[in-house]
Amino acid sequence: MAKGPEKNTKNKALHTKLLNRKKTKLQEEKKAQALRLRALVAKMNEKKNNNETDTI
């Protein structure tokens, strides 16, 4: 029986590597966005609390 053409594992490995890079980049961007959002929410809460204490 013939085995058929050889598999192109080099391109497959490179493709996997690129996809893994893309996934990690997206995850890092998502984490960075979440941190920025948390910081903004904390800042707004602090500002709100300061305004409430000033009026009381």
Side-chain angles (χ1 to χ4, degrees):
M1 296 241 188
K3 291 185 176 180
E6 292 183 16
K7 302 228 177 195
N8 191 350
T9 56
K10 184 178 180 183
N11 281 346
K12 197 172 192 181
L14 288 174
H15 184 69
T16 303
K17 184 178 177 181
L18 289 173
L19 285 180
N20 288 339
R21 270 195 215 163
K22 184 178 178 181
K23 283 182 191 177
T24 55
K25 182 181 177 184
L26 289 174
Q27 285 176 348
E28 288 173 2
E29 287 176 355
K30 191 174 180 180
K31 286 180 185 178
Q33 181 67 22
L35 286 175
R36 273 188 246 120
L37 187 60
R38 269 193 212 129
L40 183 63
V41 168
K43 183 179 177 183
M44 294 305 290
N45 284 340
E46 184 180 326
K47 187 176 179 182
K48 183 178 174 184
N49 288 339
N50 285 341
N51 286 341
E52 286 178 0
T53 56
D54 288 343
T55 57
I56 295 176

